[in-house]
Amino acid sequence: MSVWGQYSKEQKEEYIKFLQVYGALTNLFRQKKGDLIPYLDSKYQETIFAKSFDAKNVDIGNTPHDILSVFGNKRVGIGLKTWMGSKPSFQKVMQLKRYQNEINNYKNNLDDLAYKISDIRNERVLSDYERLGLKENNNIYHYVTRDKGSFTINECAYPLIDLKGLCDFNKTKTAFTWSDGNKDYKYTFGDSQIWQKFDSNKYKSILLTSFDVKIIDDPFSFLLEAYLKLINKPQVVEENIVEAYLPLYSFKSKEVGEKSGLNAWNASPKSKFSSIPRPLNEVYIPIPKEFHKKNPEFFTKDIISIIKKRNQLKGTNGSKPEVRFHLLLPNGKKIPALLTGDNMKNFQSGSNTEYDENGKRFGQNALGQWLLVDVLGLKERKKVTLEWLHRKETDSVRLWRKKEDYSTFNIDFAPIGAFESFMNDELIPENVDD
């Protein structure tokens, strides 16, 4: 069964209506006359897909999946696309600008070039599997093609590239094309983009439905009239989500500490005379003092008074206060977490009373396993640097919770510069999207 078939009739009808409404406003965006091909903005598509199908928008910039749908125990990662024309065509699916120099080293050997690009692409997709708790064969592209006066909705498989089936190599001055026997791909040298060929007649592709879009001649008058009616009605808008951002580096030094933060595993052994290194996934996220001053009620009500009390007990044997809660990871797992340390500067996982599915106590390793090892792919004892994080296209995390609920916080990665922008009350930047 297609993923589309697992949504209810009512959900699909609502989604189509939202598409038709936006397409009807096409003349808002036309700068010159021509065939009336309805317009659709990709960010709008993400928003209405999540809204209509009770799904999660998990796009944080240049990540492989835009939407997460959950059906019982099945988690489906979905890439959303839209373009003009229903004929088979190549469409951009991934930006590899940070790998450009590395890829260019293989330009003179087509076998190695195809393997290198495919391997990087697969590595990034697998990283998103870990981030979101996905399995290889469940994920899809959902795409909307636009022709004169109509939209067509399609779905196709979103597999890893088969590294053993690479074939049909062809290189020009501007691009390199290849196949894995299932899908056809293209890499453009100038902008370091991977493109995939979408064809409704090919491998695991389904044409789901097609429908007309009636374009309004004068959408400006239509919107103005609708707006004037709206402002004459009382509006109650209540934001139920509180969010914040934390850096994965030291806010003071602008680097990842060599033996702290994401490199806490690199600190001295816990026992004074031991030679056993700390676990690779033992980390904490540093919280600058400036964060607590700016957001004193994000983690708990009045954290400043808790910090003062903790400082008063410094150097004593008294039990120092901590702030405890649960952390909901994007892959669906919930782990205990806490704020601890001087000035409540350590954000980490850990519990002495709760156990994971294997019967082990949750420790400082649980957050690090997901963040540093599973998703960011640190497989050996190599110190994390800011440059390394930027290569992974992140340097911050986003946290959010329901208003007045301090028991559970959600976490995900955030684009480069997100924390600095948050502290400066600026718009959160977006990494180069595909």
Side-chain angles (χ1 to χ4, degrees):
M1 177 187 288
S2 68
V3 173
W4 179 258
Q6 297 179 67
Y7 299 124
S8 71
K9 178 183 177 182
E10 292 74 21
Q11 288 176 316
K12 289 183 282 192
E13 288 177 347
E14 180 180 74
Y15 177 64
I16 289 172
K17 286 178 182 176
F18 278 127
L19 290 174
Q20 289 175 315
V21 166
Y22 199 89
L25 301 175
T26 293
N27 281 327
L28 286 174
F29 315 105
R30 292 179 69 217
Q31 295 180 330
K32 56 184 179 180
K33 292 187 177 181
D35 290 335
L36 287 177
I37 297 176
Y39 180 70
L40 177 60
D41 178 77
S42 60
K43 292 300 181 184
Y44 173 82
Q45 183 187 12
E46 289 180 13
T47 302
I48 63 165
F49 194 101
K51 175 180 174 62
S52 300
F53 299 119
D54 193 25
K56 294 182 180 179
N57 189 327
V58 293
D59 176 24
I60 55 172
N62 193 21
T63 47
H65 302 92
D66 302 306
I67 295 290
L68 172 67
S69 272
V70 180
F71 306 96
N73 293 325
K74 183 178 180 181
R75 300 169 69 84
V76 179
I78 302 173
L80 297 182
K81 307 293 295 180
T82 182
W83 61 86
M84 292 192 296
S86 297
K87 294 181 180 180
S89 65
F90 280 99
Q91 299 297 325
K92 291 182 289 186
V93 294
M94 188 174 286
Q95 169 68 255
L96 298 183
K97 190 162 289 185
R98 297 183 188 277
Y99 301 84
Q100 186 177 47
N101 293 336
E102 185 178 341
I103 291 170
N104 285 343
N105 290 332
Y106 297 88
K107 287 178 72 172
N108 295 326
N109 187 316
L110 301 191
D111 290 272
D112 289 347
L113 180 61
Y115 188 92
K116 187 62 180 180
I117 298 171
S118 300
D119 189 47
I120 292 173
R121 184 265 193 187
N122 283 357
E123 184 180 293
R124 296 192 56 188
V125 173
L126 286 168
S127 177
D128 229 32
Y129 287 0
E130 296 291 349
R131 178 173 75 101
L132 302 173
L134 305 176
K135 293 184 178 179
E136 180 177 343
N137 297 319
N138 292 343
N139 313 301
I140 63 160
Y141 275 112
H142 171 102
Y143 59 99
V144 178
T145 55
R146 314 191 304 272
D147 295 289
K148 185 176 180 179
S150 69
F151 281 162
T152 299
I153 300 178
N154 304 264
E155 181 179 306
C156 73
Y158 190 168
L160 296 173
I161 299 177
D162 182 3
L163 299 179
K164 295 181 180 179
L166 303 180
C167 59
D168 300 337
F169 306 145
N170 183 55
K171 184 168 77 86
T172 67
K173 289 183 178 180
T174 59
F176 171 63
T177 58
W178 77 102
S179 176
D180 68 347
N182 296 320
K183 302 278 186 182
D184 298 327
Y185 299 93
K186 177 172 65 173
Y187 176 80
T188 45
F189 295 111
D191 54 11
S192 307
Q193 298 268 15
I194 294 182
W195 304 59
Q196 178 180 306
K197 192 172 185 179
F198 289 84
D199 185 344
S200 59
N201 296 317
K202 292 291 180 70
Y203 175 76
K204 293 186 178 180
S205 296
I206 307 170
L207 193 159
L208 299 170
T209 187
S210 184
F211 50 90
D212 293 337
V213 176
K214 295 182 178 178
I215 298 175
I216 300 171
D217 288 334
D218 184 4
F220 299 95
S221 297
F222 170 80
L223 285 178
L224 185 58
E225 182 179 346
Y227 174 72
L228 291 174
K229 288 181 180 179
L230 181 67
I231 61 175
N232 289 324
K233 295 180 180 180
Q235 300 294 311
V236 178
V237 178
E238 184 174 347
E239 180 60 58
N240 196 38
I241 296 295
V242 181
E243 71 173 7
Y245 293 80
L246 288 178
L248 294 175
Y249 55 90
S250 166
F251 185 47
K252 184 177 181 180
S253 70
K254 309 303 181 189
E255 186 51 271
V256 182
E258 290 191 2
K259 298 179 183 294
S260 60
L262 298 192
N263 289 322
W265 54 267
N266 192 42
S268 302
K270 291 187 176 181
S271 299
K272 186 175 182 180
F273 300 105
S274 173
S275 61
I276 300 174
R278 296 181 181 228
L280 179 60
N281 48 10
E282 183 173 303
V283 306
Y284 65 86
I285 297 174
I287 307 179
K289 291 185 292 184
E290 292 84 353
F291 177 91
H292 288 315
K293 290 178 181 179
K294 182 179 176 66
N295 309 276
E297 296 192 347
F298 180 72
F299 285 109
T300 187
K301 292 188 176 180
D302 192 13
I303 198 168
I304 303 302
S305 64
I306 297 176
I307 291 174
K308 288 180 179 178
K309 184 176 180 181
R310 187 180 177 92
N311 289 340
Q312 289 170 357
L313 294 171
K314 194 172 183 178
T316 71
N317 294 324
S319 178
K320 298 179 179 61
E322 297 172 332
V323 176
R324 291 186 175 269
F325 45 86
H326 278 87
L327 197 60
L328 184 60
L329 306 180
N331 62 16
K333 292 183 179 180
K334 183 184 282 190
I335 61 174
L338 69 155
L339 304 187
T340 187
D342 294 343
N343 296 312
M344 291 300 198
K345 66 179 181 180
N346 298 354
F347 177 101
Q348 64 185 62
S349 59
S351 171
N352 294 323
T353 59
E354 296 187 54
Y355 299 81
D356 64 18
E357 61 269 22
N358 298 316
K360 293 183 179 180
R361 284 178 177 169
F362 282 105
Q364 195 174 344
N365 306 347
L367 176 59
Q369 180 65 38
W370 171 79
L371 186 154
L372 194 59
V373 180
D374 293 343
V375 180
L376 294 184
L378 188 70
K379 303 300 183 185
E380 57 186 82
R381 293 185 177 276
K382 178 181 178 182
K383 285 185 287 188
V384 176
T385 64
L386 192 62
E387 181 183 0
W388 187 83
L389 286 174
H390 284 183
R391 184 176 172 82
K392 302 292 182 177
E393 300 190 341
T394 187
D395 66 5
S396 311
V397 291
R398 175 181 175 241
L399 297 164
W400 69 100
R401 60 172 172 82
K402 292 182 179 179
K403 196 173 184 180
E404 304 302 330
D405 182 1
Y406 292 96
S407 66
T408 303
F409 288 77
N410 296 267
I411 187 172
D412 204 346
F413 289 91
I416 295 169
F419 175 72
E420 306 280 344
S421 295
F422 172 72
M423 292 297 288
N424 293 326
D425 295 318
E426 298 170 352
L427 290 176
I428 304 302
E430 292 185 7
N431 287 347
V432 179
D433 205 348
D434 55 26

